[in-house]
Amino acid sequence: ETGVTQTPRHLVMGMTNKKSLKCEQHLGHNAMYWYKQSAKKPLELMFVYNFKEQTENNSVPSRFSPECPNSSHLFLHLHTLQPEDSALYLCASSQVTSSTDTQYFGPGTRLTVL
Amino acid sequence: AQTVTQSQPEMSVQEAETVTLSCTYDTSESDYYLFWYKQPPSRQMILVIRQEAYKQQNATENRFSVNFQKAAKSFSLKISDSQLGDAAMYFCAYRIYNQGGKLIFGQGTELSVKP
């Protein structure tokens, strides 16, 4: 539907597991974002990368570790998560040099932490 | 701090009728953008409409239009001729001009469309 893809779409993990979420954008954008969407709460911005450099870390616990190897790929490495980390994790991208800088979202990864 | 408030957790509309979703925001900035995003069940969030705060004219995209009241810090979305495919969560969002990335979202309004 859009140029932003995310894998896996669903993930179930135990608290001691290590897993990674992947995001890829095919829009030629220069910025990528991770959001957390929990039930009944607004979307929470977690991380922002502009030109592969992290420019925003919104007080996210260290058990979430982002990685942006290039402007098209973004990862979120997960380790020793808590059940309250269960949520929909959305990736987005945008062209920050444009006048409007509209963000385009991926379909999300539904994460369940047991 | 900037905040966005959507006071209607749920709304319902009859097919072909018109519905208005409300959004208010709090900011001390004068230049910013406002957005409405739509998130259908189990589908991707997509942009519905965008408004630049410096423009007095309300944005319009086909059946979707906004009522932007800058002084009142209000940004409502009107959906005309509602269709079944309009059923979704609708999020209002705010971003400071020239501060890429910092989108602040409201809590969302779940819209159902009755046939």
Side-chain angles (χ1 to χ4, degrees):
Chain A
E1 294 179 359
T2 73
V4 181
T5 58
Q6 291 185 242
T7 55
R9 295 293 305 274
H10 300 272
L11 178 62
V12 179
M13 58 186 292
M15 289 190 284
T16 58
N17 291 156
K18 291 185 179 181
K19 296 287 183 183
S20 296
L21 310 184
K22 179 183 177 182
C23 175
E24 184 173 0
Q25 60 95 1
H26 311 273
L27 301 169
H29 289 164
N30 53 24
M32 297 186 76
Y33 315 83
W34 279 117
Y35 288 89
K36 176 183 179 182
Q37 186 178 19
S38 304
K40 308 298 182 184
K41 292 178 66 176
L43 273 76
E44 302 172 58
L45 178 65
M46 301 175 70
F47 300 104
V48 180
Y49 277 83
N50 286 335
F51 296 98
K52 301 186 299 178
E53 299 295 322
Q54 184 175 315
T55 58
E56 187 83 18
N57 178 337
N58 208 21
S59 302
V60 180
S62 60
R63 57 185 184 269
F64 294 92
S65 175
E67 178 189 2
C68 188
N70 55 62
S71 58
S72 298
H73 294 86
L74 184 65
F75 296 89
L76 187 63
H77 304 299
L78 316 171
H79 64 99
T80 59
L81 294 191
Q82 304 298 311
E84 59 265 29
D85 297 323
S86 298
L88 181 67
Y89 288 84
L90 294 172
C91 174
S93 71
S94 73
Q95 184 67 15
V96 294
T97 53
S98 71
S99 59
T100 54
D101 185 22
T102 297
Q103 294 184 21
Y104 294 85
F105 286 82
T109 295
R110 174 69 62 185
L111 174 66
T112 303
V113 182
L114 301 176
Chain B
Q2 295 89 14
T3 58
V4 177
T5 302
Q6 293 177 248
S7 59
Q8 306 154 316
E10 299 175 350
M11 289 284 285
S12 180
V13 64
Q14 202 72 31
E15 193 176 8
E17 297 294 310
T18 295
V19 64
T20 298
L21 308 183
S22 66
C23 172
T24 58
Y25 57 96
D26 187 24
T27 183
S28 57
E29 302 290 332
S30 57
D31 291 330
Y32 49 87
Y33 294 106
L34 295 163
F35 306 84
W36 278 99
Y37 280 89
K38 169 186 176 182
Q39 187 178 38
S42 302
R43 295 182 67 187
Q44 286 172 257
M45 188 160 344
I46 58 173
L47 178 69
V48 175
I49 201 164
R50 171 183 58 232
Q51 174 82 42
E52 291 88 343
Y54 62 85
K55 290 186 178 179
Q56 293 185 338
Q57 187 173 6
N58 288 325
T60 300
E61 287 288 340
N62 300 315
R63 298 182 296 106
F64 298 88
S65 61
V66 299
N67 183 5
F68 174 48
Q69 301 289 328
K70 191 172 184 180
K73 297 180 182 176
S74 171
F75 183 61
S76 60
L77 174 70
K78 185 172 80 171
I79 306 174
S80 304
D81 185 25
S82 298
Q83 301 175 0
L84 295 178
D86 295 333
M89 282 290 288
Y90 285 82
F91 294 95
C92 179
Y94 159 97
R95 180 172 74 76
I96 297 174
Y97 183 74
N98 271 346
Q99 193 172 83
K102 282 181 172 273
L103 261 184
I104 299 170
F105 284 86
Q107 304 93 319
T109 296
E110 185 172 6
L111 177 67
S112 59
V113 181
K114 298 178 180 178

